[in-house]
Amino acid sequence: TSSAADALARPLAIADACFVAAAADPARLASGHGWGLRAAIEQAIAAAGGLSAVPALDVTPLEQLRPGSLVRFQGMVQDTWDPEYFLGVYETRNDETGEIRVHSGKYVDVVEAPPGHTLLPLPRGPPSQRPGERTALFQRTPMLVVPTPAFSPWAADARSATCATPAVPMSTGSRPKRSGRDDDDDDESVTPSGGMDIDESANGAPKRAFAVNAVGGGNSDAAGAADAGAMDAATGAGFRYAGLGAKGRPVVVKLYDEDEASKLGATSPKVSELVEFVGILSLEQDTPDAPEDGGADMDEDERSHRPTATAAPRLHCIAWSTLGGRPNPLLPSIAAIEARNVARTQASAAAPALRNIVVQTLAVALGGDVLAAEYVLLWALSGVSARVGPEGGKSPIGSLPLSLAAPPPASATVSAAGGAPLASGLVKALTELTPLVASVPISVALLNGPSLSPIRDVSGSNLLASAPLQLPAHTLLLLDEGILGAGELTQRGVANLRALATLAHSQTLSYDFGPYNLDFPTDTPALILSRGKPLSASAAPAAPGGAPPCVMPIDDILVDPSTVDATLATAAATTLGGLSALRAYLTLAAESPSSLTEAIAMKAQNDFVAARQADATVSAETLHLWCSLARLRAQAELSPEVTAAHWEATRVAESQRLARLAAREALPKGPGVHV
């Protein structure tokens, strides 16, 4: 309806109405909580036809969006900054009658007096000396959110297709308007953090104030830096953003009422989580220093945390939800449990056929190797379901670090240039079938270069430097050592190599905050492709805490990606539902855990005892690997339980893999790389 559309276009009017109702209760007014805006906005969204009616800032050009309108943004939380104070409740005086009115400063970057009113200065002194005082400072948390890194093109296109086209184009001004606000004031001055700056009219009466008074300027959590050329103006001002494959404009999200949400059981978004935010778009600066001078009066830390609004628009968050599972726009939201279960039931009947098509496609990308393709499928479905063991050495349950090892170079002498990449065909196939795929070509230059893990720039911006390994959960990470040539690793190279190995085998990533390091749990299935023994696997920590490695010998693969394209085209033409059916199947299979029945657990124990009696090298890690592979094989058929057939197929595949390993004994450590 038009009224619902108007509400989405002007949510600040709804915020004002909620504030007026709350202002009658001094306790609600003073706390800033319980104003009822979220419920009112949810009603407006439902009346407009659901969340799809809200334009998405991550897929819609900024010039098509109206400042002050309701938007949503889906992306990865790259960095959480220190909380900031803002002018949550303020007062104005009518210039003619002297009447005092109270206003809300939530969900805007600039507070201002309505026409014919003067903004009253902040009162001084402790609250005990100001009885009845209504002006209040509240707290909100800014966080930097970037477009989803490593998002496959088909997934980005599918999300765009589900997002509404804004009905109201952006106005010439950049000011979000509250009800009764003057539309002619389009000043965009900004100020350094640390003060409540007030603009004055010609007669000296204060008319508007910048709401921000930052509490510190550093990172309280993690983050990353930049896809170098994506935002030149912002980078030049000391502002950088990160994420392997991230494209588009980042957003500074300002989170309100976190303590109130925590009482309801909600948790604030965490670093590296994929989150969808719904809130009010602002293109105003939150500090009053003219942007033309590049923020000359601000130090690098302040500039980094105050990017221009055109480089990083502000989104004043009203509601948010984390994207559980894998972000496949072709499927109902994971929060829509009933609809998701219907999709899973429909896919179950076709799962064996769909699985075979995926394996055949992956086999083409691997030069016809069906056994390796089956292991790649199981790897693509894997994910951390739990962590067990002592602190500092917890093993990720469900993780499957996989290495595809091509024959070592025939010559003992390897050039510094290395060989041809091994992952091209596989990257092509996986990118067309799954929503999150990242590929990192491993070279001596890459390892000896900047840190692959997030590291804070303590001497300058106080942001975290570029971090290709900061990725959302469930990103399929391919580490291609095919191009690795001869060379010597520096201290930085050794640290990067260990970071890769730890991520692959222990599913943790260390963030360097300067005075200390902090390990973050990850869920990023890693696949290493190498010629000879994988160098990344050789650097895996010897301490407990890693999943058992699974090495699959393969032939040297130089597959033309166009061959994979032809195979995908055939699959799309011959599969009911086309590639969309395969994409939905893979997502649902990855989200459908399978368990071992008591009978299968007993069978596994008996097989393990017999295998250990025959071969002393069989260990508890071997049993762990068998169980993981059997569960994943059941998942591939959307089966809730591991059956005897799944277990036997796992044992047969493992015997074939081990036979390949035995036939290729004494793999060299690596092609001339010295640590």
Side-chain angles (χ1 to χ4, degrees):
T1 65
S2 60
S3 59
D6 289 342
L8 300 187
R10 296 173 177 80
L12 285 173
I14 301 178
D16 281 341
C18 293
F19 171 74
V20 169
D25 182 346
R28 291 170 63 196
L29 182 65
S31 69
H33 300 155
W35 293 3
L37 178 60
R38 175 167 181 163
I41 290 295
E42 288 177 346
Q43 290 177 3
I45 291 174
L51 198 58
S52 60
V54 180
L57 182 55
D58 50 299
V59 301
T60 305
L62 189 60
E63 59 270 16
Q64 295 183 19
L65 296 171
R66 174 177 178 166
S69 63
L70 195 72
V71 298
R72 54 192 169 120
F73 186 89
Q74 179 178 300
M76 183 186 78
V77 178
Q78 176 196 295
D79 200 352
T80 301
W81 296 338
D82 286 341
E84 64 184 22
Y85 286 116
F86 69 98
L87 193 57
V89 179
Y90 64 99
E91 293 178 317
T92 63
R93 179 190 297 112
N94 188 299
D95 295 337
E96 293 184 0
T97 66
E99 177 191 7
I100 304 297
R101 291 178 55 188
V102 64
H103 308 266
S104 168
K106 293 179 74 171
Y107 310 110
V108 294
D109 291 304
V110 176
V111 299
E112 61 185 350
H117 289 70
T118 297
L119 185 67
L120 296 184
L122 289 175
R124 300 185 180 277
S128 59
Q129 298 178 9
R130 298 184 277 114
E133 177 58 51
R134 295 182 293 182
T135 302
L137 294 177
F138 298 151
Q139 183 175 287
R140 61 192 176 196
T141 301
M143 53 181 58
L144 183 65
V145 185
V146 298
T148 305
F151 210 26
S152 298
W154 67 264
D157 291 344
R159 171 162 170 78
S160 297
T162 64
C163 295
T165 301
V168 182
M170 189 180 88
S171 60
T172 55
S174 61
R175 176 75 41 78
K177 306 297 189 298
R178 289 192 184 271
S179 54
R181 184 164 283 181
D182 181 7
D183 288 355
D184 294 329
D185 183 5
D186 287 321
D187 177 39
E188 272 203 73
S189 60
V190 289
T191 191
S193 60
M196 294 292 180
D197 237 37
I198 296 179
D199 281 1
E200 296 183 351
S201 64
N203 62 5
K207 292 297 181 184
R208 61 195 298 251
F210 295 87
V212 174
N213 188 347
V215 182
N219 308 42
S220 62
D221 251 314
D227 182 357
M231 199 63 61
D232 293 337
T235 304
F239 174 61
R240 298 170 293 170
Y241 73 101
L244 187 64
K247 297 179 181 179
R249 184 181 277 105
V251 170
V252 176
V253 173
K254 300 200 174 184
L255 214 60
Y256 295 80
D257 304 330
E258 292 179 86
D259 51 351
E260 182 183 25
S262 66
K263 294 177 183 177
L264 300 175
T267 58
S268 298
K270 298 181 178 62
V271 167
S272 297
E273 275 190 329
L274 285 181
V275 184
E276 182 150 42
F277 298 91
V278 177
I280 299 172
L281 173 65
S282 172
L283 297 182
E284 292 195 303
Q285 295 302 138
D286 47 17
T287 49
D289 208 357
E292 299 85 51
D293 65 3
D297 292 339
M298 292 188 274
D299 60 26
E300 185 177 355
D301 188 339
E302 289 175 316
R303 288 197 305 271
S304 299
H305 292 83
R306 303 291 176 210
T308 63
T310 51
R314 278 51 164 172
L315 189 152
H316 293 270
C317 182
I318 297 172
W320 72 86
S321 61
T322 56
L323 302 182
R326 307 194 179 201
N328 189 335
L330 300 176
L331 290 169
S333 165
I334 199 167
I337 299 175
E338 184 175 345
R340 197 83 165 193
N341 287 339
V342 169
R344 184 174 290 107
T345 301
Q346 293 172 343
S348 295
L354 295 172
R355 174 194 178 281
N356 290 338
I357 294 171
V358 171
V359 169
Q360 292 167 11
T361 303
L362 295 175
V364 170
L366 292 168
D369 192 333
V370 176
L371 180 62
E374 292 204 0
Y375 274 78
V376 170
L377 170 61
L378 301 185
W379 160 78
L381 300 181
S382 67
V384 178
S385 58
R387 295 178 188 268
V388 298
E391 288 297 330
K394 289 192 173 185
S395 296
I397 303 300
S399 174
L400 179 64
L402 179 63
S403 296
L404 301 183
S411 171
T413 303
V414 179
S415 70
L422 293 167
S424 301
L426 202 53
V427 170
K428 177 66 177 176
L430 290 170
T431 301
E432 290 295 333
L433 294 174
T434 60
L436 295 171
V437 180
S439 176
V440 180
I442 306 298
S443 65
V444 173
L446 176 83
L447 294 173
N448 288 339
S451 174
L452 299 179
S453 303
I455 179 171
R456 181 157 62 181
D457 179 14
V458 294
S459 62
S461 68
N462 210 28
L463 296 175
L464 297 185
S466 184
L469 295 184
Q470 187 186 13
L471 295 164
H474 311 301
T475 299
L476 301 181
L477 178 61
L478 290 91
L479 306 174
D480 190 349
E481 295 184 8
I483 65 171
L484 190 62
E488 185 169 344
L489 294 183
T490 63
Q491 184 176 0
R492 170 66 69 191
V494 173
N496 280 332
L497 189 61
R498 286 175 178 165
L500 291 170
T502 303
L503 177 65
H505 295 275
S506 299
Q507 284 300 315
T508 58
L509 183 63
S510 180
Y511 286 61
D512 184 348
F513 290 101
Y516 64 94
N517 282 25
L518 185 63
D519 289 341
F520 279 67
T522 62
D523 190 1
T524 310
L527 171 60
I528 304 171
L529 298 99
S530 64
R531 291 185 174 88
K533 186 176 180 180
L535 187 66
S536 301
S538 68
C550 183
V551 180
M552 168 63 72
I554 60 172
D555 293 331
D556 208 328
I557 48 175
L558 297 175
V559 176
D560 187 342
S562 63
T563 305
V564 179
D565 283 331
T567 303
L568 288 166
T570 301
T574 58
T575 304
L576 182 63
L579 292 181
S580 294
L582 298 176
R583 293 161 176 166
Y585 152 72
L586 284 170
T587 299
L588 293 169
E591 296 174 356
S592 303
S594 298
S595 60
L596 270 66
T597 63
E598 186 175 343
I600 296 299
M602 182 61 67
K603 173 66 173 172
Q605 181 178 331
N606 293 338
D607 286 359
F608 171 69
V609 171
R612 186 153 189 170
Q613 290 173 345
D615 183 356
T617 64
V618 174
S619 65
E621 285 191 343
T622 305
L623 178 60
H624 178 114
L625 179 60
W626 289 352
C627 292
S628 294
L629 292 171
R631 288 191 183 98
L632 292 169
R633 190 172 289 274
Q635 279 186 230
E637 296 183 2
L638 290 174
S639 172
E641 294 180 345
V642 177
T643 65
H646 295 140
W647 182 259
E648 291 304 322
T650 297
R651 294 299 313 279
V652 169
E654 273 294 274
S655 66
Q656 293 173 343
R657 182 181 70 85
L658 293 175
R660 286 193 185 187
L661 280 173
R664 193 185 293 171
E665 294 179 347
L667 293 177
K669 182 176 181 180
V673 177
H674 304 286
V675 178

PDB file of all heavy atoms in Angstrom, residues 31 38 53 190 214 237 273 309 405 420 458-459 471 505 509 527 567 573 609 662:
ATOM      1  N   SER A  31      16.340   6.191  29.664  1.00  0.00           N
ATOM      2  CA  SER A  31      17.105   4.994  29.308  1.00  0.00           C
ATOM      3  C   SER A  31      17.368   4.894  27.816  1.00  0.00           C
ATOM      4  O   SER A  31      18.352   4.299  27.384  1.00  0.00           O
ATOM      5  CB  SER A  31      16.362   3.736  29.770  1.00  0.00           C
ATOM      6  OG  SER A  31      15.182   3.539  28.995  1.00  0.00           O
ATOM      7  N   ARG A  38      11.330  -0.750  16.717  1.00  0.00           N
ATOM      8  CA  ARG A  38      11.529  -1.985  15.951  1.00  0.00           C
ATOM      9  C   ARG A  38      10.190  -2.639  15.613  1.00  0.00           C
ATOM     10  O   ARG A  38       9.960  -3.043  14.469  1.00  0.00           O
ATOM     11  CB  ARG A  38      12.414  -2.960  16.722  1.00  0.00           C
ATOM     12  CG  ARG A  38      12.552  -4.301  16.023  1.00  0.00           C
ATOM     13  CD  ARG A  38      13.647  -5.159  16.592  1.00  0.00           C
ATOM     14  NE  ARG A  38      13.745  -6.422  15.858  1.00  0.00           N
ATOM     15  CZ  ARG A  38      14.792  -7.228  15.911  1.00  0.00           C
ATOM     16  NH1 ARG A  38      15.829  -6.911  16.645  1.00  0.00           N
ATOM     17  NH2 ARG A  38      14.796  -8.350  15.228  1.00  0.00           N
ATOM     18  N   ALA A  53      10.526  -5.763   0.093  1.00  0.00           N
ATOM     19  CA  ALA A  53      10.110  -4.417  -0.291  1.00  0.00           C
ATOM     20  C   ALA A  53      11.108  -3.353   0.151  1.00  0.00           C
ATOM     21  O   ALA A  53      11.005  -2.196  -0.257  1.00  0.00           O
ATOM     22  CB  ALA A  53       8.740  -4.100   0.309  1.00  0.00           C
ATOM     23  N   VAL A 190      31.560  18.695   8.720  1.00  0.00           N
ATOM     24  CA  VAL A 190      31.870  17.581   9.617  1.00  0.00           C
ATOM     25  C   VAL A 190      32.908  18.011  10.637  1.00  0.00           C
ATOM     26  O   VAL A 190      33.621  18.975  10.448  1.00  0.00           O
ATOM     27  CB  VAL A 190      32.397  16.365   8.822  1.00  0.00           C
ATOM     28  CG1 VAL A 190      31.305  15.740   8.030  1.00  0.00           C
ATOM     29  CG2 VAL A 190      33.533  16.782   7.915  1.00  0.00           C
ATOM     30  N   ALA A 214      33.010  10.644  20.227  1.00  0.00           N
ATOM     31  CA  ALA A 214      33.567   9.292  20.225  1.00  0.00           C
ATOM     32  C   ALA A 214      34.230   8.957  21.540  1.00  0.00           C
ATOM     33  O   ALA A 214      34.856   9.800  22.166  1.00  0.00           O
ATOM     34  CB  ALA A 214      34.577   9.145  19.096  1.00  0.00           C
ATOM     35  N   ALA A 237      42.251   8.924   2.254  1.00  0.00           N
ATOM     36  CA  ALA A 237      41.974   9.583   3.528  1.00  0.00           C
ATOM     37  C   ALA A 237      42.347   8.707   4.713  1.00  0.00           C
ATOM     38  O   ALA A 237      42.000   9.000   5.838  1.00  0.00           O
ATOM     39  CB  ALA A 237      40.501   9.955   3.607  1.00  0.00           C
ATOM     40  N   GLU A 273      31.244 -12.369  10.874  1.00  0.00           N
ATOM     41  CA  GLU A 273      29.914 -12.935  10.660  1.00  0.00           C
ATOM     42  C   GLU A 273      29.238 -12.263   9.469  1.00  0.00           C
ATOM     43  O   GLU A 273      29.433 -11.070   9.213  1.00  0.00           O
ATOM     44  CB  GLU A 273      29.031 -12.747  11.888  1.00  0.00           C
ATOM     45  CG  GLU A 273      29.193 -13.813  12.941  1.00  0.00           C
ATOM     46  CD  GLU A 273      28.136 -13.717  14.027  1.00  0.00           C
ATOM     47  OE1 GLU A 273      27.658 -12.610  14.330  1.00  0.00           O
ATOM     48  OE2 GLU A 273      27.780 -14.774  14.587  1.00  0.00           O
ATOM     49  N   ALA A 309      31.015  10.096   3.888  1.00  0.00           N
ATOM     50  CA  ALA A 309      29.744   9.376   3.787  1.00  0.00           C
ATOM     51  C   ALA A 309      29.525   8.796   2.398  1.00  0.00           C
ATOM     52  O   ALA A 309      28.797   7.817   2.239  1.00  0.00           O
ATOM     53  CB  ALA A 309      28.589  10.290   4.162  1.00  0.00           C
ATOM     54  N   ALA A 405      47.450 -33.906  -4.206  1.00  0.00           N
ATOM     55  CA  ALA A 405      48.883 -33.858  -4.489  1.00  0.00           C
ATOM     56  C   ALA A 405      49.164 -34.442  -5.866  1.00  0.00           C
ATOM     57  O   ALA A 405      49.036 -35.651  -6.079  1.00  0.00           O
ATOM     58  CB  ALA A 405      49.658 -34.610  -3.421  1.00  0.00           C
ATOM     59  N   ALA A 420      52.553 -24.321 -13.525  1.00  0.00           N
ATOM     60  CA  ALA A 420      51.231 -23.803 -13.875  1.00  0.00           C
ATOM     61  C   ALA A 420      50.273 -24.016 -12.704  1.00  0.00           C
ATOM     62  O   ALA A 420      50.430 -24.946 -11.916  1.00  0.00           O
ATOM     63  CB  ALA A 420      50.710 -24.507 -15.115  1.00  0.00           C
ATOM     64  N   VAL A 458      49.195  -0.332  14.337  1.00  0.00           N
ATOM     65  CA  VAL A 458      49.238   0.430  15.582  1.00  0.00           C
ATOM     66  C   VAL A 458      49.975   1.750  15.430  1.00  0.00           C
ATOM     67  O   VAL A 458      49.813   2.658  16.247  1.00  0.00           O
ATOM     68  CB  VAL A 458      49.890  -0.408  16.706  1.00  0.00           C
ATOM     69  CG1 VAL A 458      49.028  -1.594  17.058  1.00  0.00           C
ATOM     70  CG2 VAL A 458      51.289  -0.863  16.293  1.00  0.00           C
ATOM     71  N   SER A 459      50.776   1.890  14.370  1.00  0.00           N
ATOM     72  CA  SER A 459      51.551   3.115  14.212  1.00  0.00           C
ATOM     73  C   SER A 459      50.833   4.163  13.382  1.00  0.00           C
ATOM     74  O   SER A 459      51.329   5.277  13.240  1.00  0.00           O
ATOM     75  CB  SER A 459      52.906   2.793  13.555  1.00  0.00           C
ATOM     76  OG  SER A 459      52.714   2.247  12.258  1.00  0.00           O
ATOM     77  N   LEU A 471      37.605 -14.291   6.190  1.00  0.00           N
ATOM     78  CA  LEU A 471      36.526 -14.698   5.297  1.00  0.00           C
ATOM     79  C   LEU A 471      35.316 -15.131   6.110  1.00  0.00           C
ATOM     80  O   LEU A 471      35.442 -15.563   7.263  1.00  0.00           O
ATOM     81  CB  LEU A 471      36.985 -15.869   4.405  1.00  0.00           C
ATOM     82  CG  LEU A 471      38.110 -15.556   3.416  1.00  0.00           C
ATOM     83  CD1 LEU A 471      38.724 -16.844   2.881  1.00  0.00           C
ATOM     84  CD2 LEU A 471      37.601 -14.697   2.271  1.00  0.00           C
ATOM     85  N   HIS A 505      44.033 -26.843   9.237  1.00  0.00           N
ATOM     86  CA  HIS A 505      43.969 -28.041  10.073  1.00  0.00           C
ATOM     87  C   HIS A 505      43.312 -27.813  11.426  1.00  0.00           C
ATOM     88  O   HIS A 505      42.715 -28.738  11.985  1.00  0.00           O
ATOM     89  CB  HIS A 505      45.383 -28.611  10.264  1.00  0.00           C
ATOM     90  CG  HIS A 505      45.993 -29.114   8.998  1.00  0.00           C
ATOM     91  ND1 HIS A 505      45.762 -30.376   8.512  1.00  0.00           N
ATOM     92  CD2 HIS A 505      46.789 -28.503   8.083  1.00  0.00           C
ATOM     93  CE1 HIS A 505      46.402 -30.536   7.362  1.00  0.00           C
ATOM     94  NE2 HIS A 505      47.032 -29.415   7.079  1.00  0.00           N
ATOM     95  N   LEU A 509      42.252 -18.681  13.273  1.00  0.00           N
ATOM     96  CA  LEU A 509      43.013 -17.629  12.610  1.00  0.00           C
ATOM     97  C   LEU A 509      43.426 -16.616  13.667  1.00  0.00           C
ATOM     98  O   LEU A 509      42.591 -16.117  14.420  1.00  0.00           O
ATOM     99  CB  LEU A 509      42.175 -16.950  11.528  1.00  0.00           C
ATOM    100  CG  LEU A 509      42.866 -15.863  10.700  1.00  0.00           C
ATOM    101  CD1 LEU A 509      44.024 -16.452   9.912  1.00  0.00           C
ATOM    102  CD2 LEU A 509      41.867 -15.181   9.762  1.00  0.00           C
ATOM    103  N   LEU A 527      41.248 -26.483   0.955  1.00  0.00           N
ATOM    104  CA  LEU A 527      41.717 -27.505   0.013  1.00  0.00           C
ATOM    105  C   LEU A 527      43.055 -27.045  -0.537  1.00  0.00           C
ATOM    106  O   LEU A 527      43.163 -25.959  -1.115  1.00  0.00           O
ATOM    107  CB  LEU A 527      40.712 -27.689  -1.117  1.00  0.00           C
ATOM    108  CG  LEU A 527      41.128 -28.558  -2.308  1.00  0.00           C
ATOM    109  CD1 LEU A 527      41.444 -29.971  -1.847  1.00  0.00           C
ATOM    110  CD2 LEU A 527      40.036 -28.580  -3.368  1.00  0.00           C
ATOM    111  N   THR A 567      30.732 -28.608 -19.599  1.00  0.00           N
ATOM    112  CA  THR A 567      30.127 -29.617 -18.726  1.00  0.00           C
ATOM    113  C   THR A 567      28.980 -29.028 -17.912  1.00  0.00           C
ATOM    114  O   THR A 567      27.922 -29.645 -17.752  1.00  0.00           O
ATOM    115  CB  THR A 567      31.191 -30.202 -17.783  1.00  0.00           C
ATOM    116  OG1 THR A 567      32.264 -30.740 -18.566  1.00  0.00           O
ATOM    117  CG2 THR A 567      30.600 -31.289 -16.906  1.00  0.00           C
ATOM    118  N   ALA A 573      21.314 -28.179 -18.852  1.00  0.00           N
ATOM    119  CA  ALA A 573      20.303 -28.544 -19.848  1.00  0.00           C
ATOM    120  C   ALA A 573      19.627 -29.875 -19.534  1.00  0.00           C
ATOM    121  O   ALA A 573      18.479 -30.100 -19.932  1.00  0.00           O
ATOM    122  CB  ALA A 573      20.938 -28.589 -21.228  1.00  0.00           C
ATOM    123  N   VAL A 609      39.610 -51.825  15.324  1.00  0.00           N
ATOM    124  CA  VAL A 609      40.433 -52.786  16.064  1.00  0.00           C
ATOM    125  C   VAL A 609      41.116 -53.749  15.094  1.00  0.00           C
ATOM    126  O   VAL A 609      42.329 -54.030  15.208  1.00  0.00           O
ATOM    127  CB  VAL A 609      39.575 -53.553  17.085  1.00  0.00           C
ATOM    128  CG1 VAL A 609      40.375 -54.704  17.702  1.00  0.00           C
ATOM    129  CG2 VAL A 609      39.079 -52.608  18.173  1.00  0.00           C
ATOM    130  N   ALA A 662      50.434 -45.363  -1.382  1.00  0.00           N
ATOM    131  CA  ALA A 662      51.504 -46.356  -1.345  1.00  0.00           C
ATOM    132  C   ALA A 662      52.260 -46.402  -2.662  1.00  0.00           C
ATOM    133  O   ALA A 662      53.473 -46.651  -2.697  1.00  0.00           O
ATOM    134  CB  ALA A 662      50.922 -47.730  -1.012  1.00  0.00           C
TER     135      ALA A 662
END
